[in-house]
Amino acid sequence: MAANERQAGTRSLTNSATEAVGTGAASPWRRAKVGAIGLGIVLVLSVALALFGGGGGNQDAGGPAAQANSTPTSPAGGSGPGGKASSVKGGVPVGYPRSKDGAVAAAVNYEVARSSPGYFTDEALRHQVLKTVMTSSALAGQQAQDDQTVKGLMAALGVTEHTAPDLVMRAASLGTSVRSYSPDTATVRVWMSEVVGVPTDKSKMPVSGTYSTYTLILQWQDGDWKVATIDQADGPTPLVAPDQSASSTDEMRLANKEFGAPRYAG
């Protein structure tokens, strides 16, 4: 397949071989917090990924100081022994043990729950997910922010009722660490890879990938871990292998239908 054809389906946000380290574009997830919706693939991607950044706050939460005070956790999706959910509510795993592993599993699963296509295209589903994962005091603010971001995203991507089934929106945990923990509150960092876009020839944004680190503060409320705040920063980002190129729109569309979304942790 010709190189120019393959580039139509996906692209990487990492620096190209000709760019010096540190000179590439800042993470679109971070840029979306300080910029407005604009034209072009990069700005559209900024809007698309803004939702996962939560309500703002300390953008340095994932920096060296936080890393120095963090404790690595289970590499298997972040769910260590005894950290599994006990039930499912509104499609989201809930009922975590009041432990460090329980808080980590909750953080991973809650971010995954906010990354499905349905979360962006179905308002009722989005509100149900937020009602399930957020603390009572944080719910209204997060819901208002997510609704506003989704509205801008759908307009920027040009997603219609006809093209909504083709929307690719996924995120998976690459690792976790615990910055602090007590039986009442926990601060968990989650390194995530994200893929978003619409695999059509006329799409305003091809399917694109990026990496982020999320810092979630969770509180023990009503017998379970709930999210009080979500902050985002650029995550460790690998270079693309020199022998790999982006897939075509047809390949990406087929892959989205053929492969199931990333599973929850535990």
Side-chain angles (χ1 to χ4, degrees):
M1 184 172 293
N4 61 349
E5 181 182 357
R6 291 184 62 82
Q7 290 296 335
T10 60
R11 67 183 181 89
S12 170
L13 299 183
T14 56
N15 296 335
S16 66
T18 58
E19 289 180 324
V21 176
T23 61
S27 164
W29 295 61
R30 175 176 295 178
R31 191 185 319 111
K33 288 176 174 285
V34 297
I37 299 173
L39 299 176
I41 291 177
V42 175
L43 290 182
V44 172
L45 185 61
S46 300
V47 180
L49 301 180
L51 178 54
F52 299 95
N58 181 13
Q59 288 299 299
D60 295 324
Q67 295 175 11
N69 296 323
S70 297
T71 302
T73 57
S74 169
S79 179
K84 296 182 179 181
S86 62
S87 61
V88 176
K89 180 180 180 181
V92 182
V94 295
Y96 299 92
R98 196 171 188 174
S99 65
K100 182 183 293 186
D101 286 335
V104 170
V108 172
N109 288 342
Y110 293 165
E111 276 303 307
V112 171
R114 296 176 68 235
S115 68
S116 70
Y119 189 87
F120 292 81
T121 59
D122 187 336
E123 182 180 273
L125 173 62
R126 180 168 64 254
H127 290 180
Q128 179 59 49
V129 169
L130 290 173
K131 185 177 180 180
T132 300
V133 307
M134 303 301 298
T135 62
S136 56
S137 60
L139 175 59
Q142 193 67 52
Q143 180 172 298
Q145 177 184 307
D146 285 10
D147 285 348
Q148 181 179 9
T149 303
V150 166
K151 182 178 180 180
L153 165 62
M154 295 295 103
L157 288 178
V159 175
T160 64
E161 183 177 353
H162 177 70
T163 60
D166 290 325
L167 177 65
V168 178
M169 190 73 69
R170 303 190 182 197
S173 170
L174 300 178
T176 59
S177 65
V178 177
R179 190 175 183 185
S180 64
Y181 171 78
S182 76
D184 296 318
T185 185
T187 302
V188 180
R189 300 172 63 240
V190 186
W191 178 26
M192 303 278 285
S193 63
E194 301 101 356
V195 178
V196 59
V198 182
T200 61
D201 293 333
K202 296 182 179 180
S203 173
K204 294 182 179 180
M205 187 185 75
V207 180
S208 308
T210 189
Y211 297 81
S212 298
T213 299
Y214 298 93
T215 301
L216 288 79
I217 296 179
L218 300 101
Q219 296 176 355
W220 187 259
Q221 185 177 96
D222 298 329
D224 205 357
W225 290 108
K226 302 289 185 178
V227 180
T229 66
I230 308 171
D231 289 311
Q232 172 273 333
D234 291 346
T237 303
L239 292 173
V240 176
D243 60 344
Q244 289 186 319
S245 58
S247 299
S248 68
T249 53
D250 288 340
E251 289 174 321
M252 184 55 62
R253 188 183 303 111
L254 177 61
N256 189 46
K257 294 180 179 179
E258 181 180 3
F259 294 94
R263 299 183 64 181
Y264 287 109

